[in-house]
Amino acid sequence: ACETQFNIPTNFGWFLEFIKERQMFGWIDFVANVGVNVPVPEVLAYMGSLYAHNIVVGDWMQSLDRLAVAETRGWIHQEQAFGELDSEAVQLLFDELRALGLRVRNEKG
C-alpha cells in the first residue's frame, strides 16, 4: 500500500510545452512539495504568494470536463480566486462553454 500512496500525475506534459512555448517559468505542485518531501506548513506559507503574484494556468482550464472534476477539490478555489488567470486558457474555456450552450439551445429549439 505504501508504494502507491503517492503517484506522480501524468497530466503535466501539456504544461511543460505551454511554458516552454511562452518562455515562462512554471511551478508544478507535486514536484515542489510532495515529490521532494517539503513539510506542508512550509508549502502553505508560500503557495498563496505564488497564486497572488503569478499567472495561473491549470489542467482544469483545458476543458469543461476537467473543470468539473477540479471543482470537487478544495485547492481549486485558491487558484481561481487569488491570482491572475491566463487569458488564452480562459478564452479557450469560455469558447468551449459557449459552444456547449449553443448546442443545448439548438437541441431544445
Side-chain angles (χ1 to χ4, degrees), residues 9-21 28 30 59 62 66:
T10 58
N11 64 345
F12 62 89
W14 70 269
F15 179 72
L16 297 176
E17 288 299 320
F18 182 92
I19 61 174
K20 180 180 176 184
E21 289 172 6
I28 302 174
F30 77 86
D59 179 65
Q62 305 301 306
R66 292 178 183 173

Side-chain angles (χ1 to χ4, degrees), residues 15-44:
F15 179 72
L16 297 176
E17 288 299 320
F18 182 92
I19 61 174
K20 180 180 176 184
E21 289 172 6
R22 290 159 182 79
Q23 298 180 340
M24 301 168 77
F25 73 91
W27 179 75
I28 302 174
D29 59 355
F30 77 86
V31 174
N33 53 50
V34 175
V36 293
N37 201 28
V38 176
V40 172
E42 189 175 327
V43 172
L44 295 176

